[in-house]
Amino acid sequence: MSRAEKAIQRNPHPDFKKVEASRAPWDKSLAWNMKQTPDPNWKYGQGGNDGGASLKIPHIEIDPYEEGRASVDNYKLLISGIIPRPIGFISTRSKDGSSTNLAPFSYFQVINHDPPLFTVGYAGGFDHAKDSLRNLTESEECTINIISEHFIEAANSTSINAPYGTSEWSLSGLTPAESKTVKASRVKEAVFSIEGKLESTKEFESRVTPGKKTGVLVVIEGTRFWVREDAINEARNLIDPAVLKPMSRLGGITYGRTTEGMEIPRPDYAESVEKNEEVKKLVMKYDYQNNEKLLSKFNIHGQIIKIYEDPLKLLLAYPPQTNYLSYPQVKPLPKEIQATKHPSTQDDQPRTPKPNRKISLISSLKGKG
């Protein structure tokens, strides 16, 4: 076991095989299926679907730099809390082609589609670069492969701390396949693979130990996609999760499998809010309560409009998210609102609004006093 692994203590089991033997075998019968959401009758403004149960349990505040807290504690906390994480199975080769590397990284994510961009986070700086980072920065090429259930053990074997130049391909028994735009091989067993070229890197320094380099962020641009033909739709724009069967990372040495999903349509503001008076009131009430306690007055072109009754009536008359005052067609103010001259006005006449100028009432509101 490496010194780093001893410090992290990722594996909590002194005899892992004994613990594993006590568990139920892998359930091959589990297949991708769709379920309802936890509360299909959820309504806007309802909050959580647990009836408020989660609000009754207090939180613990943690300062990542508090005295006596080791950086490894932050690592273990984050990888157990940011879950599930997709795994980028990265294949690289040295610039001269003499060495290859294959390794899984869960500090991985897609961040853009035009151009296709992906991020990979490497622990440690360039001065102690992992084999994968060393190859990637030298050759500026790689492939990203998504790990599926049918080769999870082989993929995990490549996380071994092998010396530079040792082939993880041979240790894993996985099959290298030729790429088109890069020299690094893709994993033929993978349902989905991406060829990529290095776009940029950024090195990070420790906050606790100034001068110590603790991580490198790599941005990779995708240059070619490979999808197994039984996983892609006719339009070649959707991958079937029932075929992909992706694996994810949880905390410690734990992986997750994806067997259930649910669909929730993305709401449209015009349909869900503007055409629903009850939901519209929720939005306006929230804006009213959270705009710096703006309860008494607001300013429109040199005039102070004083609210002598419930200020919420103003917002109901002038929805901040949907309506603006457009001069010269000004929506009549409610009867509950009276106007007085702004103190800064030099004459006895209100200022003439400029034609077609728009202001949002909610952004014009000012606090008491």
Side-chain angles (χ1 to χ4, degrees):
M1 183 182 293
S2 69
R3 183 180 302 176
E5 282 299 310
K6 288 181 180 179
I8 296 171
Q9 295 182 334
R10 208 187 319 254
N11 180 4
H13 311 297
D15 188 345
F16 172 73
K17 280 299 181 181
K18 182 178 180 181
V19 173
E20 184 183 43
S22 68
R23 296 171 176 167
W26 182 267
D27 189 349
K28 295 182 179 180
S29 68
L30 289 179
W32 170 258
N33 65 97
M34 300 293 285
K35 294 288 196 298
Q36 293 182 353
T37 66
D39 184 0
N41 298 314
W42 185 92
K43 296 180 180 180
Y44 286 100
Q46 178 180 323
N49 59 31
D50 61 353
S54 58
L55 300 177
K56 299 176 183 178
I57 305 173
H59 287 75
I60 296 174
E61 179 184 356
I62 300 174
D63 180 353
Y65 306 118
E66 67 187 10
E67 186 176 355
R69 184 175 179 84
S71 61
V72 69
D73 292 328
N74 293 331
Y75 169 76
K76 295 171 75 171
L77 175 75
L78 293 174
I79 67 168
S80 63
I82 311 300
I83 58 173
R85 298 187 307 282
I87 308 170
F89 197 24
I90 311 298
S91 165
T92 59
R93 56 175 271 167
S94 60
K95 191 173 183 178
D96 61 7
S98 63
S99 176
T100 62
N101 183 267
L102 185 62
F105 294 89
S106 68
Y107 284 179
F108 163 74
Q109 190 54 270
V110 55
I111 60 169
N112 198 49
H113 64 277
D114 184 16
L117 294 176
F118 308 85
T119 56
V120 179
Y122 289 89
F126 286 118
D127 54 347
H128 294 94
K130 293 178 178 288
D131 298 349
S132 174
L133 177 60
R134 177 176 170 181
N135 288 345
L136 181 54
T137 53
E138 286 181 0
S139 67
E140 300 187 346
E141 296 181 346
C142 72
T143 68
I144 303 170
N145 307 271
I146 301 303
I147 298 174
S148 298
E149 294 178 10
H150 62 273
F151 64 97
I152 178 59
E153 297 90 350
N156 181 74
S157 74
T158 66
S159 62
I160 191 170
N161 56 330
Y164 183 76
T166 301
S167 172
E168 289 82 9
W169 288 95
S170 60
L171 290 172
S172 67
L174 292 171
T175 309
E178 185 179 355
S179 301
K180 287 293 181 68
T181 64
V182 300
K183 294 180 179 178
S185 300
R186 56 189 173 88
V187 177
K188 193 170 185 178
E189 286 83 354
V191 175
F192 182 37
S193 298
I194 302 153
E195 296 179 20
K197 296 192 176 184
L198 182 63
E199 195 275 339
S200 61
T201 63
K202 180 177 175 58
E203 189 175 46
F204 296 95
E205 184 174 307
S206 169
R207 294 280 193 270
V208 178
T209 310
K212 180 182 179 181
K213 306 303 181 182
T214 54
V216 176
L217 172 69
V218 170
V219 179
I220 298 164
E221 180 177 347
T223 56
R224 191 71 93 246
F225 305 140
W226 294 84
V227 187
R228 213 170 72 183
E229 62 179 18
D230 61 338
I232 193 74
N233 65 344
E234 187 175 348
R236 302 200 305 174
N237 58 15
L238 289 175
I239 296 175
D240 187 351
V243 179
L244 182 60
K245 297 182 179 180
M247 299 298 294
S248 60
R249 279 307 302 265
L250 308 179
I253 60 173
T254 308
Y255 287 86
R257 68 191 297 198
T258 305
T259 58
E260 288 188 350
M262 61 183 182
E263 293 181 322
I264 307 180
R266 178 175 292 191
D268 177 75
Y269 191 86
E271 293 293 325
S272 300
V273 179
E274 292 181 351
K275 294 182 180 181
N276 187 320
E277 290 301 319
E278 291 303 313
V279 178
K280 189 188 299 184
K281 289 178 183 178
L282 287 173
V283 174
M284 288 184 278
K285 182 178 180 180
Y286 182 87
D287 285 338
Y288 160 69
Q289 293 175 337
N290 289 276
N291 276 272
E292 302 175 340
K293 298 181 180 179
L294 309 177
L295 304 178
S296 64
K297 56 191 175 183
F298 60 92
N299 181 356
I300 302 181
H301 294 299
Q303 288 186 318
I304 288 181
I305 308 301
K306 291 186 177 179
I307 305 169
Y308 292 97
E309 295 189 18
D310 186 358
L312 184 56
K313 293 181 180 179
L314 172 69
L315 297 178
L316 292 174
Y318 295 88
Q321 300 289 345
T322 59
N323 293 314
Y324 292 86
L325 291 182
S326 299
Y327 294 100
Q329 293 82 23
V330 180
K331 182 178 180 180
L333 293 172
K335 293 181 180 180
E336 295 89 348
I337 301 173
Q338 300 178 17
T340 60
K341 186 175 67 175
H342 191 281
S344 64
T345 304
Q346 299 300 316
D347 51 34
D348 295 331
Q349 299 296 324
R351 294 181 182 177
T352 302
K354 295 181 181 180
N356 299 323
R357 182 172 181 180
K358 295 182 178 182
I359 62 171
S360 167
L361 284 180
I362 200 65
S363 65
S364 303
L365 290 172
K366 293 184 178 180
K368 288 184 178 182

